[in-house]
Amino acid sequence: MATPAPAYQGNGSYVFVSYAHADEATVYDEITALQNRNINVWYDTTGISAGAEWSNEIAQAIKGASSFLFFITPRSVASEHCRREVNFAQNQGIPVVVVHLEETDVPDGLSLSLDNRQAILRYRQTPATYQTSLLRALRRDTAEPVQSDTQSIASAIGTPDRTSSRRWPLPLAVAAVLAIATSTWIWLDRPGQEPGTRQSIAVLPFSDLSASGDQQHFGDGIAEEILD
């Protein structure tokens, strides 16, 4: 099992990773992929200094984090240490990103604590869709911008990017987003509308109706751009 680069110790923004040590093999691949994507990561295996008080080091690392990434498995939800870390992060107002690595029954207390968090279900998504979802979530919660280049992170964890051969050309994608945004603006500001009665629209997820079924990432991107 390859160990990721040491935990980040600088002054920039970073992601605190909470996980059960029994899941190290899987989580280490996730951490390595983020590090290869130039995302600073703090994790306790290498982050705690020799002779330091464990709980104090963890608390300080969480307080300084830009976001808190919690990997959910049956082992992590049963870990008292993980539950304490989640509660402390929420008490400190640190944005929490939740990833279910496998199907897990979350205890009621933890489920209540995470009820307002939209979880990423890793085990139900394709590698490319998962990578895009995770990067987008971390981009919202960290001070430094994160590019949503799924091909780069796919290669970082050794997973083939199934969408690269069928990715829409960038000019076409931009044109589609601009066309939808322009038509929406015209509809919202159509003549004859009384002042103060501007309409609003709901943007629902786009369905992938392509023959190969590998264009969901493009639909997700359009929905995200329209919402922005």
Side-chain angles (χ1 to χ4, degrees):
M1 177 177 60
T3 303
Y8 180 72
Q9 300 291 342
N11 297 322
S13 63
Y14 62 88
V15 177
F16 181 100
V17 174
S18 179
Y19 64 100
H21 282 217
D23 300 319
E24 279 185 353
T26 301
V27 173
Y28 277 5
D29 287 342
E30 299 283 343
I31 292 175
T32 299
L34 292 173
Q35 290 175 332
N36 289 343
R37 199 66 190 84
N38 295 322
I39 298 176
N40 300 321
V41 179
W42 195 100
Y43 62 107
D44 63 359
T45 306
T46 63
I48 299 178
S49 307
E53 182 181 349
W54 182 85
S55 59
N56 184 64
E57 289 278 320
I58 291 289
Q60 294 304 313
I62 293 175
K63 289 176 67 176
S66 299
S67 63
F68 181 98
L69 178 56
F70 181 33
F71 286 110
I72 286 186
T73 65
R75 280 77 56 191
S76 66
V77 299
S79 168
E80 181 181 357
H81 295 306
C82 288
R83 294 197 300 269
R84 285 181 177 177
E85 291 172 356
V86 171
N87 291 333
F88 185 77
Q90 292 181 320
N91 290 336
Q92 295 297 315
I94 308 299
V96 176
V97 176
V98 179
V99 173
H100 288 248
L101 292 178
E102 55 189 89
E103 190 168 6
T104 303
D105 291 328
V106 181
D108 291 342
L110 182 58
S111 178
L112 177 63
S113 177
L114 298 173
D115 187 53
N116 63 337
R117 305 293 172 185
Q118 185 175 2
I120 299 174
L121 304 181
R122 170 68 177 90
Y123 62 94
R124 287 187 180 178
Q125 298 181 345
T126 65
T129 301
Y130 162 68
Q131 294 150 17
T132 300
S133 300
L134 180 57
L135 287 173
R136 184 179 297 138
L138 294 175
R139 181 179 60 189
R140 291 193 184 110
D141 295 331
T142 55
E144 296 179 359
V146 179
Q147 298 178 1
S148 56
D149 183 353
T150 58
Q151 187 173 8
S152 296
I153 193 168
S155 61
I157 63 175
T159 305
D161 180 7
R162 301 174 184 175
T163 66
S164 60
S165 62
R166 294 179 177 267
R167 185 173 295 122
W168 283 46
L170 181 59
L172 181 58
V174 173
V177 172
L178 289 178
I180 295 174
T182 302
S183 60
T184 301
W185 177 82
I186 294 174
W187 182 83
L188 291 176
D189 289 293
R190 63 190 185 279
Q193 184 169 274
E194 296 180 5
T197 60
R198 288 177 60 84
Q199 302 294 316
S200 61
I201 61 172
V203 181
L204 300 178
F206 288 89
S207 298
D208 180 8
L209 302 180
S210 62
S212 58
D214 61 355
Q215 295 296 321
Q216 186 60 49
H217 69 288
F218 180 71
D220 293 341
I222 287 185
E224 181 73 15
E225 292 300 325
I226 294 176
L227 286 173
D228 290 342

